[in-house]
Amino acid sequence: MSTTRAVVLARGLGTRMRAPDPSALLTPEQQRIADAGLKAMIPLNGRPFLDYILSSLADAGIHDVGLVVAPDHDALRRYYESDAPPVRVRVGFVVQDHALGTANAVLGAEEWVQGEPFLTMNADNLYPVDALATLAALAEPGLPAFDPLDLVRSSNIPPERIRSFAFLEVDDRGYLTSIVEKPAEENSPSGGRTSKGGRTSKGGSSVSMNCWRFDERIFQACREVPRSPRGEFEIPEAVGLAVRRGVPFKTFPAHGPVLDLSTRADAADVARRLAGISPRP
């Protein structure tokens, strides 16, 4: 049976989105929301970016979406509870009191998922529906493995941003054996074909776009994972801990485009790519 729940991580501080960029072409409304760091609510062609994410999840067969939000995200909650409640998905809210990282955000959703498997993804990325549908159809934990060169070709993600992503190593059966968060440039997928340990992964290097299918076993890893060098509790680190403890993570090849709304400069290009698309969350 396919997974029908998804957790969308919309709690981040939006540090990169808040950063001034005189070259970015923003409308006054986009400017206001960017100043608040609410990446998911940046209006694109008249609709919040999050509407496109929810619409894609509905297309992939997801019925329930838990939005991880900050205590002061009143505007986001009001929009989806009162102003424009979705029709094709049910939206709930998980409050993460402090921005302690993505693994902490997932841990906060433990009660909301009610013991069921669930997808987890960023609120500043729009993933292909076929990748989401394949992920939801898995019978075990897993993730799409994106080809970095394809992401550069098909998405709005420049090579230098690819080098900041986690990259993957898998075995001959397609199961994850290691994941390296924000690898050094000389070992990154765009800079070579080998892993941090020098071993070539099946089919060459691939990257994680922080899109996952989890079950309840992830919560123990999220509780016990140490802080990363950045001082946060990170999903890739928690997944690595779970893998070392014997939890299997099935990977499958995935292709873009994955639209990334990380900075103000991304808004115009993402809006152009979404022109003519009417989201139906």
Side-chain angles (χ1 to χ4, degrees):
M1 181 180 296
S2 291
T3 301
T4 60
R5 286 180 175 266
V7 172
V8 178
L9 307 178
R11 166 62 170 91
L13 295 173
T15 303
R16 285 179 294 173
M17 183 60 72
R18 293 174 191 265
D21 184 353
S23 67
L25 302 176
L26 299 181
T27 67
E29 180 65 6
Q30 288 174 330
Q31 177 84 37
R32 183 183 68 81
I33 295 177
D35 288 343
L38 289 175
K39 293 182 285 188
M41 295 303 289
I42 295 285
L44 303 171
N45 308 320
R47 302 289 293 273
F49 186 58
L50 189 51
D51 273 5
Y52 296 91
I53 295 173
L54 296 178
S55 183
S56 293
L57 285 170
D59 288 344
I62 298 299
H63 301 156
D64 293 279
V65 178
L67 298 177
V68 179
V69 298
D72 60 351
H73 281 178
D74 296 334
L76 188 155
R77 294 190 65 147
R78 183 169 60 251
Y79 181 85
Y80 287 107
E81 286 183 331
S82 303
D83 298 346
V87 174
R88 295 200 295 155
V89 295
R90 292 183 293 268
V91 170
F93 297 91
V94 176
V95 176
Q96 185 186 20
D97 291 329
H98 305 286
L100 297 177
T102 52
N104 180 262
V106 168
L107 184 58
E110 184 173 12
E111 182 177 350
W112 181 84
V113 302
Q114 299 179 355
E116 297 183 21
F118 60 101
L119 306 191
T120 295
M121 64 204 63
N122 293 335
D124 56 2
N125 288 132
L126 181 61
Y127 305 92
V129 171
D130 58 350
L132 295 175
T134 301
L135 187 62
L138 291 180
E140 57 190 334
L143 69 156
F146 287 93
D147 179 271
L149 298 180
D150 174 71
L151 286 176
V152 173
R153 285 192 299 263
S154 66
S155 309
N156 68 313
I157 304 173
E160 59 271 17
R161 195 176 297 175
I162 292 285
R163 288 193 287 268
S164 71
F165 297 159
F167 74 103
L168 314 171
E169 186 168 297
V170 302
D171 65 19
D172 290 338
R173 300 178 302 144
Y175 284 92
L176 185 67
T177 59
S178 66
I179 180 167
V180 181
E181 173 75 349
K182 294 181 170 51
E185 180 174 343
E186 63 270 19
N187 294 320
S188 69
S190 57
R193 305 298 290 178
T194 59
S195 75
K196 187 176 183 182
R199 301 181 303 274
T200 303
S201 63
K202 180 183 178 183
S205 297
S206 55
V207 299
S208 165
M209 291 298 295
N210 213 39
C211 187
W212 312 86
R213 190 271 196 193
F214 291 135
D215 61 24
E216 60 186 3
R217 288 175 288 181
I218 195 61
F219 296 122
Q220 189 63 29
C222 288
R223 271 189 283 271
E224 298 182 9
V225 68
R227 290 181 187 265
S228 71
R230 298 190 301 165
E232 297 182 354
F233 302 101
E234 310 263 11
I235 285 179
E237 300 285 348
V239 169
L241 178 60
V243 168
R244 292 192 296 274
R245 291 178 172 178
V247 179
F249 276 81
K250 181 70 172 178
T251 72
F252 60 90
H255 303 281
V258 177
L259 300 187
D260 187 21
L261 189 62
S262 295
T263 71
R264 297 174 185 229
D266 296 327
D269 190 16
V270 172
R272 178 183 63 80
R273 292 169 183 262
L274 293 176
I277 298 176
S278 298
R280 298 183 303 114

